Amino acid sequence: MSRPVLFVTRELPPQAQKRLDALTDVEVRQSKSTKAISRSDLLDGVATADGLLCMLSDKIDEELLSAANPLLKVISTCSVGYDHVDTELVKRRGLPLGYTPDVLTDATADTTVLLALMASRRAKEALCIVHEGRGGFSLSTGLGTQFTNKTLGIVGFGRIGRATVERLAPFGFSKIIYTSRRPLHDEAKLSAQHVPLPQLLAEADLICICCPLTSETTNMFNKDAFSLMKSTAIVVNTARGAIVNQDDLLHALENGQIAAAGLDVTVPEPLPADHPLVKHPRCVVLPHIGSATEETRNAMANLAIDNALAGIFDQPLKAEVEL
C-alpha cells in the first residue's frame, strides 16, 4: 500500500530536517534548497501531495488549489502569518490550515529591540565609520538618543507586542501606549495604556509595528501617518512589509518628518542593494531575521511538521487557523 505524500517546499533547519528525513509513515518529497521554490515546481509538487508544508514565500491561491491533488488534506505553513494564503478559497475547499504561533514570539521581540537600539544609536552610520577606517571618539558628532523618560508606542498588542514591551520597559520609558482593536483587560500589568492610533503616532518617541497584515493595516504607515509623528520619532517594523508605504517612509526620512527607521520586513524581500532605503544612513534594513534563531526556526519547522502529519492522518492540528 502506498504511503501518503507530504510535499515540503524548502529545506528545513537541521534538527527538524533530520526528523523529516526519518519519517516512515509518509513519503516526503521536498525541494532541498534554502531558497524559495519556483512556481512551476510548487505546482508540480502539490499535484500529487496529500499534505503541503509551505513557507511564507509560497502563494497559496486559486491557481495552486486548482493544480493540487483533489485528495489534498492539509496545508501547513511554517509561519505565524498567513497573508500569503487565500483563506476563503482554503475554507471553501474544506482544508485545515496549520500555522506556527507562539514559538517565534521571543525571537521576533528580540529583533524588534535590536532594530530599536540600532536606529536610536545610529549604529549603521557608526559601523560605516569603522568599516571605512575613519573617525574615532567624538564628543559632539554621531550622537544618537536614548529611551530614558521617553514614550513607547506599540501598534498591535498581541504576543509579540507584549513581549516587546517586556523587553523595552527596563530601558526607562516613562510612558507606554498601545493601539489594538480593543483595550485589553490586563494592560495594567504592563503599565500600558490603550489609545487611538493618531494619538499614539503623535506622542510616541519609539513606534514598534507588531500587528498582522490585514486589509485594515495594509499601507497603514503612509504619508498621513508620518505627518503626525514627532521629528525625533523612530519607527521599527518587524511585522509585515506591506504595512509600511516605503516611498512615504523614504520621504519622511529625507524631509526630517521622523528621525530614523528599522525594518526587518520589506516589499519585496529582499530589497535591492541599491534601494534608497537600504542606502539611507538613518534606515537599518535586515533580511527578515525576526525568527532566525536555531531554537525558534527548528521549533517552527517541527510544529509545521506536526500540523501536516495531523492533517494527513485526520487528527486535530496542534495549531490551526480559524477560517
Side-chain angles (χ1 to χ4, degrees):
M1 184 175 177
S2 62
R3 295 174 295 165
V5 173
L6 171 59
F7 183 63
V8 183
T9 65
R10 199 178 299 194
E11 183 179 353
L12 302 182
Q15 187 272 330
Q17 184 64 49
K18 184 176 181 181
R19 176 192 173 194
L20 187 71
D21 291 339
L23 292 177
T24 58
D25 48 355
V26 294
E27 178 186 345
V28 176
R29 298 176 185 171
Q30 183 181 21
S31 173
K32 286 285 188 75
S33 172
T34 59
K35 297 182 179 180
I37 190 171
S38 71
R39 186 66 175 176
S40 60
D41 286 347
L42 175 59
L43 296 178
D44 288 345
V46 78
T48 56
D50 297 280
L52 172 64
L53 196 164
C54 64
M55 306 294 154
L56 195 62
S57 56
D58 303 324
K59 195 170 184 62
I60 310 301
D61 56 8
E62 186 172 9
E63 181 188 35
L64 181 135
L65 292 173
S66 296
N69 180 359
L71 300 178
L72 181 70
K73 301 178 76 172
V74 62
I75 296 172
S76 174
T77 182
C78 191
S79 61
V80 67
Y82 46 90
D83 46 274
H84 58 301
V85 179
D86 189 324
T87 53
E88 283 301 315
L89 287 177
V90 171
K91 180 179 181 180
R92 202 178 308 158
R93 178 83 179 253
L95 294 170
L97 174 61
Y99 70 137
T100 61
D102 298 326
V103 295
L104 48 67
T105 298
D106 288 337
T108 306
D110 290 348
T111 303
T112 307
V113 176
L114 169 66
L115 281 169
L117 288 170
M118 291 187 72
S120 68
R121 295 301 300 270
R122 300 174 63 175
K124 181 177 183 178
E125 295 167 84
L127 286 169
C128 286
I129 290 172
V130 173
H131 294 157
E132 294 169 6
R134 58 184 175 85
F137 174 80
S138 171
L139 200 60
S140 58
T141 61
L143 304 183
T145 186
Q146 59 197 67
F147 298 140
T148 312
N149 297 321
K150 301 290 175 61
T151 296
L152 170 62
I154 304 290
V155 179
F157 212 54
R159 301 179 189 92
I160 294 171
R162 290 166 181 252
T164 298
V165 169
E166 290 171 352
R167 285 157 172 74
L168 283 171
F171 282 89
F173 287 95
S174 59
K175 186 177 182 181
I176 299 172
I177 54 179
Y178 72 95
T179 182
S180 62
R181 290 181 179 177
R182 63 188 66 86
L184 303 174
H185 67 278
D186 62 344
E187 62 181 20
K189 189 162 38 175
L190 291 173
S191 301
Q193 176 188 355
H194 182 269
V195 299
L197 179 61
Q199 181 180 340
L200 183 146
L201 297 178
E203 293 183 4
D205 299 287
L206 171 63
I207 299 170
C208 298
I209 304 170
C210 303
C211 58
L213 177 65
T214 66
S215 58
E216 295 176 352
T217 62
T218 298
N219 208 39
M220 173 188 283
F221 281 76
N222 54 26
K223 62 181 180 180
D224 294 332
F226 292 120
S227 71
L228 296 175
M229 297 180 192
K230 298 177 179 179
S231 61
T232 54
I234 296 166
V235 177
V236 171
N237 185 15
T238 53
R240 286 290 180 268
I243 295 172
V244 175
N245 183 308
Q246 291 171 178
D247 291 336
D248 291 350
L249 171 60
L250 180 63
H251 182 272
L253 287 167
E254 291 184 335
N255 289 275
Q257 285 183 296
I258 65 171
L263 307 175
D264 186 46
V265 286
T266 58
V267 179
E269 291 181 358
L271 280 183
D274 60 352
H275 192 282
L277 286 175
V278 174
K279 300 175 74 172
H280 200 285
R282 289 183 287 111
C283 185
V284 180
V285 180
L286 298 178
H288 202 152
I289 65 166
S291 62
T293 66
E294 292 184 12
E295 297 88 347
T296 293
R297 289 284 172 85
N298 275 299
M300 290 172 65
N302 275 309
L303 181 51
I305 293 171
D306 290 339
N307 285 332
L309 293 177
I312 288 173
F313 293 108
D314 301 313
Q315 300 296 317
L317 274 58
K318 282 192 174 182
E320 181 175 350
V321 177
E322 292 186 17
L323 299 176

